[in-house]
Each structure stands twice: as C-alpha cells, then as structure tokens.
Amino acid sequence: MKRVGKPVFFIVVILIALLTYLSFFGITTTFGDVEKTIIKGGQDIRWGIDIRGGVDVTFCPPEGFDATDEQMSAAESVIKTRLVTQNITDYEVYTDLNRDRIIVRFPWKVDEKDFDPEKAIQELGETAMLTFREGIEVDELGKPAGVTANTIILEGSDVKSAYPSFGDEGRTTIVVALELEQSGISKFSEATGRLAGTKIPISIWMDDTCISYPTVSTQITNGSAVIEGNFTLEEASDLANKINGGALPFKLVTENFNSLSPTLGVGAKDAMVMAGFIAFALIAVLMIIYYRLPGLVAVIALTGQVAGTVACISGFAPTIPSFTLTLPGIAGIILAIGIGVDANIITTERIKEELKAGKSLDYAIDTGFKRAWSAIFDGNITVVFVAVILMGAFGPTSSFFSKMLSPIFFMFGQSTAGNVYSFGYTLLVGVILNFLMGVTASRLMLKSLSKFEAMRKPWLYGGVK
C-alpha cells in the first residue's frame, strides 16, 4: 500500500470542511439588485409538497377509454400550460404511458390563504379549448380582444393532428405539420386565402393563452399546412402536443388527490431534521468515546457524507437542477448515515482485533481496512440494488433507472414516485458517498494520523493501554 504522509489528514479535513460550508451555505454575488448564485447551498433545496404543502393529483381518461401515447402526451402539455397560466411554475408532471395516468404535483402559492385545490384540479382536467383566430389583438390581461376575439377560424374539433416534421429545404429545418379534419378544410382555405401576404397572423390559442401566431404566406386548400419558426425538435414537439391537446376526444378524470397544508408539512420537516441532528450528535459522541481516534475520524467522514448528500440534493452548481426532497428523502439521508457508521465500526473492530493479536499499528490499520472491505462492500452493494430498484420502479419514466428497468417493472406506474423516488435517491447518494468518505477518506486520515509519534499509542485505536 502506498505511504500516506502526515499532511494528508489536514488536507482531507480542509476539503471536507470546505465542502460542508459550501453545501450548506453556497456562494452568491450581488450586483445592485441582482443576486447571482455561484454555488447552490441548502437554501436552494426544492422541498416536496409533503413538506411545503401542496396538491398531489392523478388524472386518467374516462373509464373504458384507451388513450394513445400521443393523446396522453398532448393531455400532459395541456396541464403544463394551464399550470403556468395559473402562475404555478414550480410543478412536477409525470405521465405513465403504461397505465394511462398523469401525476401532477404542485405547491401552495406563497402566502396563499384562500386557495381552493378542488377548483384548481377541476380546471386542470377540463377539456382544452383550442382555437385558431385572426390576428393577435389582446387586452391588458393577454386575452383575445377585438377582431381576434370575434373571428374564430378553427376549433379543436377541426384539427386531426399536429406533429413535428422536417421542412422542404434539405430536411435541415424543423416545422410543425398540421392536418385538418374535413370540417376545417374549407374554413382554413378561406381564411388563408384572405390573409395571405397581409402579414396578419393566424394566432393559435389554448383556452385564453396564445401558443403561436404564424403569418400566412400562401393559401392552403388541401387541409395540410406547416408552421415554421426556427424550431428545435423539442419546441416543435411541445407546440404539436399543445395543438393536439385541444383536439382530445376525452376529458381527464380525477382518479385521486390529496392536499397538505404547509404548516403541517414544515412542522414534520423540522421534526425530522432536528431528529437527524440529535441522532448525528449522539452517534458522534458515542463513536469518539468508544472508538477514540478512529471514532473521531469516522465523525469527520460522516460529516463529509452528509455535506456531499446536501450538495447532490441542492444541485450545487447553478446549471444543475436541484432535487425535490421529501420527508422519506430525509429518512433516506438518516438511514445512509447509519450505514456509514456501520462501515466505520466494522473497520475499527477489525483494527482492534489485529492490535489485540499483538500486531503492529501500521499492520493493524492496513489489515483492518483490507478485511473490512468485503463486508462493507457486500452490505452496501445490496442497498445500492434496493435504491436502484426503488428509483426504477417508482420514478419518472424518463429517468435513467426507469428506462433501464422498464422491461422488468413495466407494470409499475408513477403514482407514488415522489416519495419513494426521493427515498431511493438519497439512499443511493448516501451509500455512494459512504464508499468515498467512510472507506477512502477514513483510511487516508487514519493512516496519516498514525504517522505522528503522539498518535501511535495502540490504546488510541482500541488496543490495550
């Protein structure tokens, strides 16, 4: 094994201390009234609705209606548009295509006192009102006004489908292709013939929200049109889904919902966080008293594990989105700390056994870590498997683990994804960090300390005094 010098202990401690400070407090800069986040801290964690309060609702088509994947995607787009219209931007929407379910979670608005969750849910599930209108005249609220309000060219029932496609110019541009029903062909032909070349757009509205307003270059008589606009594939798909949402042949039905007040959620969070701090403090005291120097090293490593977990949840770098932390997610952090303690205890007990057998301190430390590794690995890798299974079976279908395990867990939907997925995530992160902190960092710090003459007394490591 490579030699570990005396400065290594201090280097590792400084790095862990720096990580701890940054993960909890972050770094921000202020220029005038503009605050810029350089490194995200604990204050940037996105709390789940079971903590900050909010609504959790599952929508589905009417009983007996087998919706296609395209229809479910269109319905999801309608819901997202309506959430933004209600000034609810911090939401979570998951679509389970296997079971035709859309799971929506959104928090209470700040200082909200008279929010009616049942009314909000009803508005989200209503059939979208899609219209194609002449011009783009709006009032002070952004709703149709004047000619735009009075001149409806097409409605949702006149639209057969919309989908992203390639333009005619070398298939390098992306457009939204539009196919009309027979009922809309003559109406669209008349409108495009009248507006062609006038620079007056045909605006497309979902409810009272304008989602596009292309101008007319030529009359369209066959019911097939394209909307150009320098789209990316994602933008074209989004617009197509919104248009298709207005042509849905069904109304979303509320399968179940629940709401939680922010007072209750914050109280539960504070209680769990306090319990975590108390548990960590008690573990730290017991580890130091019972295991002495290795116990102190274990506490430092556990601090690094907690700090690393917070960093993974908050997003740390401003370009990385923060993870939504729920109450079960906090439980996952606490459980991972226990697993980290277990790893340090196994190693320390191995070192004590070697010292009691009369081995030298250096040999005891090296051998203790070697012999403890297999037990630590076996115990931790099984937890990794469990965490991956939880995230794959109950997470968003777009996640890596969900795609990886979809052939096995296709029968599971996302109706419980928020809580279970958060628990699996924090547990997985904690176990991975345990390998880094509880094994690697602990070994480096303990071997470094053993190089100091004052720290070479066997009783400091659990041996006989």
Side-chain angles (χ1 to χ4, degrees), residues 34-152:
V34 179
E35 185 176 274
K36 182 179 180 181
T37 299
I38 306 299
I39 295 178
K40 296 178 182 177
Q43 70 278 1
D44 296 303
I45 292 176
R46 296 176 62 244
W47 299 104
I49 64 171
D50 59 346
I51 294 176
R52 56 181 165 171
V55 178
D56 187 328
V57 57
T58 300
F59 291 110
C60 63
E63 185 176 356
F65 189 93
D66 185 16
T68 64
D69 291 354
E70 291 75 17
Q71 289 172 335
M72 293 303 296
S73 297
E76 176 187 332
S77 183
V78 171
I79 290 175
K80 289 181 177 179
T81 300
R82 285 178 171 167
L83 285 167
V84 173
T85 301
Q86 296 181 30
N87 293 320
I88 301 173
T89 56
D90 193 8
Y91 57 79
E92 300 173 42
V93 178
Y94 305 109
T95 301
D96 178 7
L97 298 176
N98 297 317
R99 298 173 59 239
D100 287 349
R101 297 293 185 272
I102 300 177
I103 299 90
V104 184
R105 299 184 179 94
F106 55 93
W108 299 94
K109 298 178 183 178
V110 179
D111 300 325
E112 187 68 67
K113 296 180 180 179
D114 57 353
F115 184 70
D116 186 347
E118 293 189 21
K119 181 180 178 181
I121 290 170
Q122 183 180 3
E123 292 175 353
L124 287 177
E126 288 180 347
T127 304
M129 179 65 177
L130 179 75
T131 54
F132 285 57
R133 299 171 179 267
E134 181 177 328
I136 185 65
E137 294 184 46
V138 297
D139 60 17
E140 64 276 4
L141 298 177
K143 296 182 179 182
V147 173
T148 303
N150 298 323
T151 310
I152 297 178

Side-chain angles (χ1 to χ4, degrees), residues 290-294 348 351-362 364-365 446 450 452-465:
Y290 192 78
Y291 292 107
R292 301 159 195 168
L293 195 58
T348 304
I351 294 173
K352 287 173 63 177
E353 290 175 3
E354 298 297 328
L355 290 173
K356 290 178 180 179
K359 305 300 171 116
S360 68
L361 178 59
D362 292 333
I365 294 176
L446 204 58
S450 69
F452 292 89
E453 189 63 31
M455 300 295 179
R456 293 191 60 81
K457 298 178 176 60
W459 73 270
L460 287 175
Y461 301 84
V464 179
K465 188 171 182 179

Side-chain angles (χ1 to χ4, degrees), residues 375-394:
I376 294 172
F377 180 82
D378 290 345
N380 281 261
I381 200 66
T382 54
V383 178
V384 169
F385 290 151
V386 171
V388 168
I389 290 172
L390 290 175
M391 295 176 69
F394 299 101

Side-chain angles (χ1 to χ4, degrees), residues 218-262:
T218 185
Q219 184 177 15
I220 298 169
T221 60
N222 60 359
S224 297
V226 295
I227 302 174
E228 300 176 340
N230 296 320
F231 295 113
T232 63
L233 181 59
E234 182 180 358
E235 291 169 341
S237 298
D238 181 58
L239 178 56
N241 284 336
K242 290 177 180 178
I243 294 173
N244 289 328
L248 285 177
F250 61 87
K251 178 180 179 180
L252 290 171
V253 176
T254 303
E255 185 177 66
N256 59 68
F257 86 92
N258 60 74
S259 61
L260 181 73
S261 72

Side-chain angles (χ1 to χ4, degrees), residues 94 323 384-385 387-409 414 421 425 428 432:
Y94 305 109
F323 184 81
V384 169
F385 290 151
V388 168
I389 290 172
L390 290 175
M391 295 176 69
F394 299 101
T397 54
S398 59
S399 68
F400 171 77
F401 294 121
S402 183
K403 291 179 180 178
M404 181 178 68
L405 297 176
S406 59
I408 302 175
F409 295 103
Q414 299 166 287
Y421 186 74
Y425 178 84
L428 178 63
I432 293 174

Side-chain angles (χ1 to χ4, degrees), residues 269-290:
K269 179 203 72 174
D270 292 343
M272 289 197 70
V273 171
M274 181 59 67
F277 276 118
I278 293 174
F280 187 90
L282 290 175
I283 289 171
V285 172
L286 291 174
M287 288 290 290
I288 293 173
I289 291 176
Y290 192 78

